[in-house]
Amino acid sequence: MHKVICLNFTSLVPERWNSLPDIEGLKKQLASAAIAHSEVYGIELGLYAPPKEVREVKITAAAADQIRCMWHGHRGRDQISPPVIPLKIFVFGTGQDAQGTWVSIEVHPGMDEWEAV
């Protein structure tokens, strides 16, 4: 089943205020966050809640822009970690094999408008 899921993403890796988030690192964090979100809230990602793994994470250009803008522009002066960033996760692939159940997700902006402050 294809569905869109709201996810308030919080990076677990503190980075310097003036650094840009690493997209490949974000993909790993988003995969973990999607599975954890599924477990905590009992939300099915595709066929199963939760799947054993997220095999593929695609971040749209708009979502990457929202993450970068909010990473810096919405962070308080003395705040070490980035702010909570609302995103939407679209499940575009699911399956099951000898390793267990899996999903593939695409990340979209969770806000209609955003800007760096």
Side-chain angles (χ1 to χ4, degrees), residues 35-49:
I35 289 176
H37 185 75
S38 173
E39 289 176 349
V40 169
Y41 294 105
I43 297 171
E44 293 181 3
L45 291 177
L47 302 174
Y48 304 98

Side-chain angles (χ1 to χ4, degrees), residues 103-117:
V103 295
S104 294
I105 61 174
E106 187 172 71
V107 181
H108 294 268
M111 297 176 66
D112 293 331
E113 296 179 21
W114 65 89
E115 64 182 43
V117 177

